[in-house]
Amino acid sequence: MKKFVFVVAPKVFRDEEYIEPKMILEQAGIEVTTASTVVGELLGKIKIKAQSQMLVKDISVNDFDGIFFVGGGGASVYFEDEVAHNIAKKFYDEGKIVSAICIAPVILAKAGLLKNRKATVFPDGADILIQNGAEYTAKPVEVDDQIVTGNGPQASKDFANELLKLL
């Protein structure tokens, strides 16, 4: 069975960016684990509550086929987080899927993973992607090798379907 880990902020993550990809992957038989800076209840920006099963620092690349950083304002907790950056780099180095949506592609840019790659992000993050060497495309979803980026909640379904194609 294929497995994916979703990295979610403890609060103010985008509900749709969590729910829609999770549902689409699970319906396709992919096991989804949720990780955060805390174990237990996570609060979405709009109304949902999600449950984190593990801490980000405990993610083992060997246990998953891909990693997904969920967007929303709360994702900023990972912008300067070396642990999250190093985990993303390990997934990439192992040839696994590395993905982020909304403002979360900033995490991948700051980890150095978007240099000389096509990527998209919520418009607020475009400058940061460009400063970190990405080729910002402004598309709803962008796939470059095993890296998938999306620009916001409305791209959640297409984003999840791109993940499925890569799996």
Side-chain angles (χ1 to χ4, degrees):
M1 173 185 266
K2 299 273 186 192
K3 296 180 180 182
F4 229 85
V5 62
F6 282 27
V7 177
V8 183
K11 53 189 181 210
V12 200
F13 64 88
R14 275 308 292 239
D15 303 48
E16 316 91 315
E17 295 168 1
Y18 175 76
I19 293 169
E20 290 175 5
K22 185 173 191 287
M23 185 181 71
I24 289 167
L25 292 182
E26 287 177 343
Q27 284 174 345
I30 314 296
E31 183 182 305
V32 173
T33 299
T34 302
S36 189
T37 56
V38 297
V39 171
E41 191 172 84
L42 311 174
L43 300 173
K45 179 178 179 171
I46 302 167
K47 65 176 190 236
I48 74 155
K49 292 178 176 156
Q51 292 297 316
S52 167
Q53 290 94 25
M54 69 187 306
L55 296 172
V56 172
K57 70 178 183 65
D58 296 332
I59 295 171
S60 170
V61 177
N62 299 330
D63 294 342
F64 301 99
D65 299 288
I67 189 167
F68 168 41
F69 290 89
V70 176
S76 64
V77 300
Y78 301 113
F79 286 1
E80 307 297 336
D81 185 329
E82 288 299 314
V83 173
H85 295 180
N86 287 331
I87 289 168
K89 286 185 224 174
K90 283 182 191 161
F91 271 85
Y92 180 80
D93 290 344
E94 292 290 320
K96 297 186 177 189
I97 300 166
V98 179
S99 59
I101 197 168
C102 192
I103 199 65
V106 167
I107 301 161
L108 305 184
K110 291 196 171 232
L113 291 173
L114 299 182
K115 194 169 177 68
N116 301 319
R117 296 196 170 279
K118 288 184 173 142
T120 193
V121 67
F122 193 74
D124 294 4
D127 288 346
I128 298 169
L129 262 64
I130 293 163
Q131 288 161 15
N132 285 276
E135 184 187 322
Y136 173 63
T137 66
K139 289 182 182 173
V141 179
E142 189 63 71
V143 181
D144 190 325
D145 194 21
Q146 81 244 39
I147 297 177
V148 182
T149 50
N151 72 353
Q154 71 287 354
S156 295
K157 287 186 174 104
D158 291 339
F159 178 88
N161 286 319
E162 289 298 335
L163 295 180
L164 279 182
K165 283 183 203 167
L166 287 175
L167 284 167

